[in-house]
Amino acid sequence: MNDAVAQLATVRAGIAAAAREAKRPEGSVTLVAVSKTFDADAIRPVLGAGQRVFGENRVQEAQAKWPALRQEFADIELHLIGPLQSNKAREAVALFDVIETVDREKIAAELAREIARQGRAPKLYVQVNTGSEPQKAGIEPRQAVEFVERCRRVHGLAVEGLMCIPPADENPGPHFAMLEKLARQAGVEKLSMGMSGDYETAVAFGATSVRVGSAIFGSR
């Protein structure tokens, strides 16, 4: 577990260096440590090193470990970064502080209902499938700006950002540039982009948060 703490420091330094290189203010990029598949014992040392923002892919897995960890560390911010099924909207709204994977009308409607019912409003990002990959979640780029507007106007959702996962076999730069352009067109300020292999590139293209898992916790 000391490896995770050392690797966390390396990633933090890499983010800071990339931000300096891009002439961005210190602290302008949030590190989301992706803890999916790792148990509470693996996460605790990283929490002990001061990391407080984490990402999980599955609602059920997050439910199994984060309530107890939050009793130990009260200031945790938890992001859902995996696809959200409509039948898990209630649990997602109750558990997560940020939901990054809003990508279709049904999910927007379910989230709106649960936010009204629970009186709890996680921050919301729309996921964009920048590579138009059929196997991947996310709304098509050409529909993204209109979808953000519908989330606001039809469902009353306060969308604050966009998220993407570029195709694994392509240069991520053009995908990050596309997401930044779409964010400007949609009038949102937050950009969740960049993972273990390309987070420094994402910072150069304006990421406000990067989602880093294996570079901190090791391979799954």
Side-chain angles (χ1 to χ4, degrees), residues 53-85:
V53 185
F54 290 84
E56 289 282 344
N57 264 41
R58 297 172 184 266
V59 174
Q60 198 166 351
E61 181 187 344
Q63 283 177 310
K65 58 191 177 187
W66 283 104
L69 286 169
R70 275 184 156 146
Q71 292 183 342
E72 299 174 48
F73 302 90
D75 52 346
I76 287 166
E77 180 177 286
L78 196 57
H79 292 228
L80 178 63
I81 61 171
L84 176 59
Q85 297 174 329

Side-chain angles (χ1 to χ4, degrees), residues 6-17 31 196 199-200 210 212 215-216:
Q7 287 160 190
L8 172 67
T10 298
V11 170
R12 285 174 169 169
I15 291 169
L31 170 59
S196 288
Y199 66 85
E200 291 159 315
V210 294
V212 181
I216 296 171

Side-chain angles (χ1 to χ4, degrees), residues 117-189:
R117 192 182 70 83
Q118 296 184 34
R120 187 175 193 275
K123 297 173 182 175
L124 301 176
Y125 290 43
V126 166
Q127 182 174 353
V128 182
N129 186 351
T130 56
S132 297
E133 297 173 276
Q135 80 283 8
K136 191 173 284 183
I139 195 155
E140 284 290 312
R142 66 182 180 276
Q143 300 169 346
V145 174
E146 180 185 357
F147 180 63
V148 170
E149 176 56 28
R150 283 187 59 79
C151 285
R152 293 169 173 154
R153 178 170 44 83
V154 177
H155 302 290
L157 297 175
V159 176
E160 73 165 39
L162 301 182
M163 180 267 241
C164 76
I165 305 170
D169 58 351
E170 293 186 18
N171 176 2
H175 295 272
F176 297 154
M178 178 194 298
L179 199 72
E180 191 276 333
K181 181 179 179 181
L182 290 171
R184 280 189 281 112
Q185 292 173 347
V188 300
E189 296 183 351

Side-chain angles (χ1 to χ4, degrees), residues 16-98:
R20 284 194 301 272
E21 179 71 20
K23 296 181 169 52
R24 297 182 57 186
E26 185 178 351
S28 60
V29 183
T30 297
L31 170 59
V32 180
V34 178
S35 48
K36 65 178 184 180
T37 77
F38 289 95
D39 63 17
D41 288 340
I43 296 166
R44 267 192 201 91
V46 177
L47 280 160
Q51 179 66 24
R52 290 294 181 272
V53 185
F54 290 84
E56 289 282 344
N57 264 41
R58 297 172 184 266
V59 174
Q60 198 166 351
E61 181 187 344
Q63 283 177 310
K65 58 191 177 187
W66 283 104
L69 286 169
R70 275 184 156 146
Q71 292 183 342
E72 299 174 48
F73 302 90
D75 52 346
I76 287 166
E77 180 177 286
L78 196 57
H79 292 228
L80 178 63
I81 61 171
L84 176 59
Q85 297 174 329
S86 56
N87 64 354
K88 294 291 184 182
R90 177 178 297 187
E91 293 92 336
V93 169
L95 180 63
F96 290 94
D97 304 293
V98 183

